[in-house]
Amino acid sequence: MDSSMRKVRVAIHADDPIDRAGLSGYVRQDHRLLEVDYAGVEKNDIFVVSVKSVDTFTVETLRSLPNEYTAKFLLIVKNGWNVDTSTAIAGGVRGALRYANCFPDTLSRALLTIDAGGEVIPESPKDMFAEKAQWNRRSTDGDESRTTCGLTIQEIDVLQLAAYGLNYSEIAAKMSCSLSAVERILSGIMDHLNVRNDAHAVACAMRAGVI
C-alpha cells in the first residue's frame, strides 16, 4: 500500500459516553486518522484515554487495557497531574492534553507526533493545571463554593471553554451537561459580573487573570 495513504490507527477509551463520542468525532474529522476498536489493537496503534486525573493508579490502570501490541497512550486529562513524568512514560504515556484544550487540531497534532515517535508531554505536566489550582483560592466573602472573583470553578470552566470559541452546544458536550444548564450558568455569570453578554464576561475574566 502507498505509504502516503497510511492512516494513524487510533483506539479510544472513555468511561463517559459523551467524552468518547466527542473524541471519536474529532478523529473522524481528520482523513489521516482511523478509529479502531480498542479491543482489537495492532502494533503501532495509539490509545486515546480520557481520565479525570493522572496518578500512579491511573498509570497502572492503563496496563489493564488491551495493549498486547502497543504501549502508546495519549491522555486527555480533566483535573490534574500527580505522578512523576518518568513513571508515566515508563507506563506507556506518550502524550497529555488538558481536556479544556482538546480540539480536533490539537488532538490530530498530538497523534501525528506520537505516531512519528515523538512525545507530547510538557516538561512540567503539573503546570498544565497550575491555572486551575489558582482558581481554587477562596474569595473573602466566606462562600466556600466560590473562588477568585466570586466565580465558582464550574463557572470558570464554562468561561474557559467560551474563550476558546466553543458555542453553547459544544460547551455543554465538554461539560457533560445540558444546553439549558450552560445557558443558566452563563446567565448567572453575566449577572454576577454585571456585564452585557458572554463575550464581555470572558473579557472581564481574562483581565482579572482568572482564565
Side-chain angles (χ1 to χ4, degrees), residues 143-159:
D143 184 348
E144 289 299 307
S145 70
R146 294 193 173 274
T147 61
T148 305
C149 295
L151 297 175
T152 66
I153 293 175
Q154 183 186 53
E155 288 170 337
I156 296 175
D157 282 343
V158 169
L159 285 176

Side-chain angles (χ1 to χ4, degrees), residues 50-185:
S50 176
V51 297
K52 290 183 178 180
S53 61
V54 182
D55 52 26
T56 303
F57 177 76
T58 304
V59 176
E60 291 175 351
T61 301
L62 294 178
R63 300 179 187 278
S64 69
L65 295 175
N67 62 338
E68 179 181 356
Y69 300 104
T70 185
K72 295 185 293 185
F73 297 97
L74 171 60
L75 304 183
I76 311 301
V77 189
K78 289 189 175 183
N79 296 328
W81 185 287
N82 301 296
V83 69
D84 291 338
T85 304
S86 58
T87 300
I89 293 175
V93 177
R94 295 295 177 263
L97 294 175
R98 264 188 63 177
Y99 181 80
N101 296 345
C102 181
F103 301 99
D105 57 339
T106 54
L107 182 65
S108 291
R109 284 198 300 270
L111 288 168
L112 292 171
T113 298
I114 294 170
D115 180 66
E119 295 177 354
V120 192
I121 303 177
E123 291 185 10
S124 301
K126 289 183 179 180
D127 291 346
M128 297 167 62
F129 304 91
E131 183 178 17
K132 188 139 187 147
Q134 291 177 354
W135 299 347
N136 290 325
R137 294 198 305 270
R138 302 304 179 186
S139 61
T140 58
D141 62 6
D143 184 348
E144 289 299 307
S145 70
R146 294 193 173 274
T147 61
T148 305
C149 295
L151 297 175
T152 66
I153 293 175
Q154 183 186 53
E155 288 170 337
I156 296 175
D157 282 343
V158 169
L159 285 176
Q160 180 86 51
L161 294 172
Y164 282 119
L166 273 67
N167 61 35
Y168 285 16
S169 295
E170 291 168 330
I171 292 173
K174 281 281 191 181
M175 297 286 293
S176 299
C177 64
S178 67
L179 178 60
S180 60
V182 171
E183 292 171 343
R184 286 196 302 273
I185 293 168

